[in-house]
Amino acid sequence: MEGIANYLDSLIGGVDLTFYSITIGGLLWGLLVLRPWHEEALYNSALLSKTVNLIHFGSKALVITQLSKIGLKIWLMAVTLGKSPFPAFFQTVQFQAGLARATCAFILAVFIRQALKSNPRSKQFWVLSTAIIVPLVISAAWLVHGASRLEDRGLLMTLTVTHQIAAATWVGGIFQILTLWGLKKRNAIAVEVWPLLLKRFSAVGIGSVVILLVTGTPLAWYYIRTFQGFIGAGYGNLLLVKIIMLGLALGFAWLNRQAVNAYFTSRSLYALTARVPYYIEAETLILLTILFTAASLASQPPAVDIPHLTASFEEVLNMFHPRVPRWESPTHEALIAGEAGRVAIVGQIPSEAATAWSDYNHNISGIFLATMSFFAMLSFSNRFHRWARFWPVGFMALGVFLFFRSDAESWPLGPIGFWESTFNNGEILQHRIATLLVFVLGLIEVRARLNNNSGFMPYMFPLLAAFGGMMLLAHSHVGFEAKTAFLIQVGHTMMGVFSLILACGRWLELKLDSPGKNVAGFISVFALFQIGVILMFYREPLY
Amino acid sequence: MNFFKPALLALALVASNSAFGHAVVTHNSLKLKPVPVNLASDVELSFNSKVELDLSEVFLVSAGDKMQTITATPGEKPGQVLLHLPALEPGEYAIKLKIFAADGHLSEDLLRFFVKQAK
C-alpha cells in the first residue's frame, strides 16, 4: 500500500490549496470586491447566500482536508517505515501546526455558519471572518518547506505564505465569479451586478498578480540561483511550467479585462455574456493546474541544493531533438532478463532493453497522437468531416496499447500481479490511471460525437484532458538517479502543458461562437500534434 | 458551478508524487574519508533541511541487496546526521535513506560507496 499512500499524500496538497483558495479568496472577495454593506439595493439575498455558502463550503472542506493530510502522513509513515510513527509524530511541527491549522479552519467555519450566514450585509462580520484567517495563515506558515530550511526561515515562510494568499485571492475570486455567472444565467441577479463585480475584481486580480511576482521572484532566486538550476532540475522545470501557465491565465484575464472595458464604453453585454464566462472557465482550469503544480513543486528538492545532480542545457535540449522513432521493440524476455540488474541497488546494471522498451512505447504513442491530430485537422473540412470527426477512437486504441506495454514487469505481461503492482508502486499506479484515462477519454468523446455533441458528454473530453495534463505535470519515475529522473520528467511536463492547452482549446471550441470557436479548435488540435511530436522523438537516458 | 463539481471530484483522482522529497543529502563524508576495511566507522551526512530522525530509517545495503538497519544520530550542526557503520569487508555497498523532513515530506535517497583495501 506504500504506492497508494505516497500518491494520495502528494495529491492532497493540491486539493488543500484549492479549498484554502476558495476560503481565503472568498473572504477577500467579500471584503474587497462585493462589499455588501455598501450596496443595499443592488445585491439580493440569492447572491449573498451563494457567496457565503461557497466560503463556508471551502472552510469545512479545508478542515477535512487538513485532518486528512495528517491522517495520510501517519499512514504513509506506517507503511513506509513498517512501524508505528507514535509517539514521535506528536512532537513534529507537521502534526502540531497541522492540528492548529485545522482548528483555525474549524473556528472559521463555525463563525461563518453562526454569524456571517445570517448577517451577510454586516461589515463587522466580514472583517471578523477575515481576521480569523490570520491565525490560520500563521499556522500554515509552519507547514511550507521554508519552515524546514536551515537558514532564512522567517523570510522564506513569510514570502511563501504571502505568495499563497495572493494566489488564493485570484483563485477564490474566480470561483466566486463562476458562482455569480450561475446566478446571472438564471437572471437571479440585477443586470448591472455582473459587469460591476467583474470590473472590481479586475483591480484585485492585478494586485494579486503583482504580489505573486514580488514574492515569487525572490523565492525562485533563493531556491534556484543559476540558469542551469532553472533549466536542468525538477524544481526549476516545474517553476518554468508554472510561469508558462501563469502567462496563459493572464492571457485570459487580459481578454476579460478588455471585454469589461468595452462594456463600459459601449454598454453592450454581448462579450460579457457570450465569451467572458467561458474564458473564466478556461482560466479556472489553468489556475487549478497551477495549484497542483505548486503542490508538486513542494516535493522537489530545490535546485540550489543539488548542483551536482542538475542536467546541462544541452542535455535537456537533446530530450526534444528530432530523431527517427523507434519502430522495433526488444522482446519481453530480453526486458525481463535485464530487470534484476536494473533495479538492483548494489551492483546495478543499466538495462538497454528497458530503455528501448520505454522508447518504443513513447514513440509509438507519439505516432498514434500525431496521426489522430492529422485526422482531427481533416475533420475541419466539410469533405472529410463525416468520418474524420471520429478521430478520438485512436485514444481507445492507444489505451489498449498502453495497458499491455506500460509496465511490462507486471500483469498482464509480467510476473507481478495486477493489484500488487498497482498499489505498491506509485509509478505503476500513475501509469494505470493514465491508461484508463486515455481509454475513457476516447470512449466518451466517440459517444459524444455519435450523439452530435449534445448534453454534457462533450465537455468530459477537455476535463479529462486537463486532468491528464495534471498527471503528466506530476509524473514521476521512482528511482534514485535524480538527473535521469529529471530528464524523463522534462518531456512529460511539456506534454502536460500542451495537454492543458488542448483542454482549454477544446472547451472554448465547444462554448464560443465563431471566429473564436475555430481559433480555439485549431489551437487544441495543434497542441495534440505537439504532444505527438514530443513523444515521437522521446529517448530515455540509459539507467 | 455544474462544471466544477465533476472537476473537483476528478481532481481527487489525479496529480501525484515525486520520488525525490525535499530533504536531500548535500554533503557526505564518504568521498573525503573512505570507509575503512573491517573497522566500524561513522559517516557524516548534511541535509538541506531539518530532519526528524525518530521518523526516519537508514539501511546499509550489501551485495544481493541485503538490507540491515543502521543507527543514525544527530550531528553537531542542524541538518547534520551521523551514521554508525559496522565493520565491513571489501566490496560495493549503499546507504539507503528514508528521511522524514521537517516540512512533512518523506523522501528517499541512496548513496553508493566501495570499501577497498588500502594500497
PDB file of all heavy atoms in Angstrom, chain B residues 59-76:
ATOM      1  N   PHE B  59      19.348   2.334   6.085  1.00  0.00           N
ATOM      2  CA  PHE B  59      19.761   0.938   5.874  1.00  0.00           C
ATOM      3  C   PHE B  59      21.126   0.892   5.209  1.00  0.00           C
ATOM      4  O   PHE B  59      21.443   1.733   4.367  1.00  0.00           O
ATOM      5  CB  PHE B  59      18.780   0.211   4.938  1.00  0.00           C
ATOM      6  CG  PHE B  59      17.369   0.171   5.437  1.00  0.00           C
ATOM      7  CD1 PHE B  59      16.450   1.125   5.022  1.00  0.00           C
ATOM      8  CD2 PHE B  59      16.950  -0.820   6.309  1.00  0.00           C
ATOM      9  CE1 PHE B  59      15.142   1.091   5.472  1.00  0.00           C
ATOM     10  CE2 PHE B  59      15.641  -0.862   6.764  1.00  0.00           C
ATOM     11  CZ  PHE B  59      14.730   0.095   6.348  1.00  0.00           C
ATOM     12  N   LEU B  60      21.880  -0.126   5.589  1.00  0.00           N
ATOM     13  CA  LEU B  60      23.104  -0.450   4.855  1.00  0.00           C
ATOM     14  C   LEU B  60      22.716  -1.568   3.888  1.00  0.00           C
ATOM     15  O   LEU B  60      22.137  -2.568   4.292  1.00  0.00           O
ATOM     16  CB  LEU B  60      24.190  -0.931   5.823  1.00  0.00           C
ATOM     17  CG  LEU B  60      25.469  -1.419   5.144  1.00  0.00           C
ATOM     18  CD1 LEU B  60      26.248  -0.244   4.552  1.00  0.00           C
ATOM     19  CD2 LEU B  60      26.336  -2.189   6.121  1.00  0.00           C
ATOM     20  N   VAL B  61      23.006  -1.348   2.610  1.00  0.00           N
ATOM     21  CA  VAL B  61      22.676  -2.357   1.592  1.00  0.00           C
ATOM     22  C   VAL B  61      23.972  -2.992   1.117  1.00  0.00           C
ATOM     23  O   VAL B  61      24.896  -2.293   0.696  1.00  0.00           O
ATOM     24  CB  VAL B  61      21.929  -1.727   0.398  1.00  0.00           C
ATOM     25  CG1 VAL B  61      21.369  -2.818  -0.518  1.00  0.00           C
ATOM     26  CG2 VAL B  61      20.812  -0.809   0.868  1.00  0.00           C
ATOM     27  N   SER B  62      24.042  -4.301   1.195  1.00  0.00           N
ATOM     28  CA  SER B  62      25.250  -5.003   0.738  1.00  0.00           C
ATOM     29  C   SER B  62      24.905  -5.893  -0.464  1.00  0.00           C
ATOM     30  O   SER B  62      23.761  -5.903  -0.915  1.00  0.00           O
ATOM     31  CB  SER B  62      25.841  -5.827   1.877  1.00  0.00           C
ATOM     32  OG  SER B  62      24.855  -6.630   2.469  1.00  0.00           O
ATOM     33  N   ALA B  63      25.889  -6.634  -0.960  1.00  0.00           N
ATOM     34  CA  ALA B  63      25.704  -7.458  -2.165  1.00  0.00           C
ATOM     35  C   ALA B  63      24.440  -8.304  -2.078  1.00  0.00           C
ATOM     36  O   ALA B  63      24.132  -8.867  -1.022  1.00  0.00           O
ATOM     37  CB  ALA B  63      26.921  -8.355  -2.350  1.00  0.00           C
ATOM     38  N   GLY B  64      23.710  -8.385  -3.196  1.00  0.00           N
ATOM     39  CA  GLY B  64      22.453  -9.121  -3.211  1.00  0.00           C
ATOM     40  C   GLY B  64      21.315  -8.302  -2.624  1.00  0.00           C
ATOM     41  O   GLY B  64      20.246  -8.835  -2.332  1.00  0.00           O
ATOM     42  N   ASP B  65      21.562  -7.010  -2.469  1.00  0.00           N
ATOM     43  CA  ASP B  65      20.574  -6.068  -1.909  1.00  0.00           C
ATOM     44  C   ASP B  65      20.076  -6.482  -0.527  1.00  0.00           C
ATOM     45  O   ASP B  65      18.906  -6.302  -0.187  1.00  0.00           O
ATOM     46  CB  ASP B  65      19.394  -5.862  -2.873  1.00  0.00           C
ATOM     47  CG  ASP B  65      19.767  -4.950  -4.031  1.00  0.00           C
ATOM     48  OD1 ASP B  65      20.936  -4.475  -4.062  1.00  0.00           O
ATOM     49  OD2 ASP B  65      18.919  -4.721  -4.903  1.00  0.00           O
ATOM     50  N   LYS B  66      20.998  -7.053   0.261  1.00  0.00           N
ATOM     51  CA  LYS B  66      20.648  -7.387   1.652  1.00  0.00           C
ATOM     52  C   LYS B  66      20.659  -6.097   2.457  1.00  0.00           C
ATOM     53  O   LYS B  66      21.625  -5.327   2.385  1.00  0.00           O
ATOM     54  CB  LYS B  66      21.664  -8.369   2.226  1.00  0.00           C
ATOM     55  CG  LYS B  66      21.578  -9.742   1.589  1.00  0.00           C
ATOM     56  CD  LYS B  66      22.542 -10.718   2.254  1.00  0.00           C
ATOM     57  CE  LYS B  66      22.568 -12.015   1.466  1.00  0.00           C
ATOM     58  NZ  LYS B  66      23.914 -12.330   0.968  1.00  0.00           N
ATOM     59  N   MET B  67      19.611  -5.895   3.229  1.00  0.00           N
ATOM     60  CA  MET B  67      19.495  -4.641   3.980  1.00  0.00           C
ATOM     61  C   MET B  67      19.620  -4.889   5.471  1.00  0.00           C
ATOM     62  O   MET B  67      19.046  -5.841   5.996  1.00  0.00           O
ATOM     63  CB  MET B  67      18.140  -3.996   3.714  1.00  0.00           C
ATOM     64  CG  MET B  67      17.951  -3.597   2.282  1.00  0.00           C
ATOM     65  SD  MET B  67      16.970  -2.122   2.171  1.00  0.00           S
ATOM     66  CE  MET B  67      16.388  -2.252   0.509  1.00  0.00           C
ATOM     67  N   GLN B  68      20.368  -3.996   6.127  1.00  0.00           N
ATOM     68  CA  GLN B  68      20.382  -4.041   7.588  1.00  0.00           C
ATOM     69  C   GLN B  68      20.251  -2.607   8.109  1.00  0.00           C
ATOM     70  O   GLN B  68      20.839  -1.666   7.545  1.00  0.00           O
ATOM     71  CB  GLN B  68      21.654  -4.714   8.126  1.00  0.00           C
ATOM     72  CG  GLN B  68      22.901  -3.873   8.149  1.00  0.00           C
ATOM     73  CD  GLN B  68      24.089  -4.622   8.716  1.00  0.00           C
ATOM     74  OE1 GLN B  68      24.754  -5.364   8.012  1.00  0.00           O
ATOM     75  NE2 GLN B  68      24.382  -4.406   9.996  1.00  0.00           N
ATOM     76  N   THR B  69      19.435  -2.471   9.128  1.00  0.00           N
ATOM     77  CA  THR B  69      19.210  -1.135   9.687  1.00  0.00           C
ATOM     78  C   THR B  69      20.465  -0.663  10.393  1.00  0.00           C
ATOM     79  O   THR B  69      21.122  -1.445  11.090  1.00  0.00           O
ATOM     80  CB  THR B  69      18.036  -1.182  10.691  1.00  0.00           C
ATOM     81  OG1 THR B  69      16.927  -1.797  10.032  1.00  0.00           O
ATOM     82  CG2 THR B  69      17.635   0.202  11.158  1.00  0.00           C
ATOM     83  N   ILE B  70      20.806   0.612  10.201  1.00  0.00           N
ATOM     84  CA  ILE B  70      21.948   1.169  10.931  1.00  0.00           C
ATOM     85  C   ILE B  70      21.488   2.371  11.763  1.00  0.00           C
ATOM     86  O   ILE B  70      20.471   2.995  11.454  1.00  0.00           O
ATOM     87  CB  ILE B  70      23.128   1.558  10.000  1.00  0.00           C
ATOM     88  CG1 ILE B  70      22.665   2.459   8.865  1.00  0.00           C
ATOM     89  CG2 ILE B  70      23.837   0.334   9.475  1.00  0.00           C
ATOM     90  CD1 ILE B  70      23.798   2.966   7.994  1.00  0.00           C
ATOM     91  N   THR B  71      22.252   2.654  12.796  1.00  0.00           N
ATOM     92  CA  THR B  71      21.866   3.716  13.719  1.00  0.00           C
ATOM     93  C   THR B  71      22.271   5.071  13.171  1.00  0.00           C
ATOM     94  O   THR B  71      23.357   5.219  12.605  1.00  0.00           O
ATOM     95  CB  THR B  71      22.569   3.511  15.082  1.00  0.00           C
ATOM     96  OG1 THR B  71      22.493   2.128  15.403  1.00  0.00           O
ATOM     97  CG2 THR B  71      21.928   4.328  16.185  1.00  0.00           C
ATOM     98  N   ALA B  72      21.379   6.027  13.344  1.00  0.00           N
ATOM     99  CA  ALA B  72      21.671   7.407  12.945  1.00  0.00           C
ATOM    100  C   ALA B  72      21.452   8.315  14.151  1.00  0.00           C
ATOM    101  O   ALA B  72      20.457   8.174  14.866  1.00  0.00           O
ATOM    102  CB  ALA B  72      20.755   7.823  11.811  1.00  0.00           C
ATOM    103  N   THR B  73      22.401   9.214  14.369  1.00  0.00           N
ATOM    104  CA  THR B  73      22.262  10.157  15.487  1.00  0.00           C
ATOM    105  C   THR B  73      22.470  11.576  14.966  1.00  0.00           C
ATOM    106  O   THR B  73      23.162  11.766  13.963  1.00  0.00           O
ATOM    107  CB  THR B  73      23.295   9.868  16.608  1.00  0.00           C
ATOM    108  OG1 THR B  73      24.600   9.814  16.002  1.00  0.00           O
ATOM    109  CG2 THR B  73      23.008   8.563  17.309  1.00  0.00           C
ATOM    110  N   PRO B  74      21.897  12.574  15.656  1.00  0.00           N
ATOM    111  CA  PRO B  74      22.073  13.950  15.189  1.00  0.00           C
ATOM    112  C   PRO B  74      23.536  14.383  15.289  1.00  0.00           C
ATOM    113  O   PRO B  74      24.235  14.012  16.229  1.00  0.00           O
ATOM    114  CB  PRO B  74      21.205  14.774  16.154  1.00  0.00           C
ATOM    115  CG  PRO B  74      20.327  13.797  16.841  1.00  0.00           C
ATOM    116  CD  PRO B  74      21.042  12.497  16.841  1.00  0.00           C
ATOM    117  N   GLY B  75      23.980  15.146  14.304  1.00  0.00           N
ATOM    118  CA  GLY B  75      25.338  15.684  14.343  1.00  0.00           C
ATOM    119  C   GLY B  75      25.379  16.966  15.148  1.00  0.00           C
ATOM    120  O   GLY B  75      24.396  17.320  15.818  1.00  0.00           O
ATOM    121  N   GLU B  76      26.513  17.645  15.093  1.00  0.00           N
ATOM    122  CA  GLU B  76      26.671  18.865  15.898  1.00  0.00           C
ATOM    123  C   GLU B  76      25.867  20.033  15.334  1.00  0.00           C
ATOM    124  O   GLU B  76      25.351  20.868  16.068  1.00  0.00           O
ATOM    125  CB  GLU B  76      28.158  19.249  15.964  1.00  0.00           C
ATOM    126  CG  GLU B  76      28.977  18.276  16.801  1.00  0.00           C
ATOM    127  CD  GLU B  76      30.458  18.577  16.737  1.00  0.00           C
ATOM    128  OE1 GLU B  76      30.832  19.576  16.095  1.00  0.00           O
ATOM    129  OE2 GLU B  76      31.238  17.803  17.324  1.00  0.00           O
TER     130      GLU B  76
END
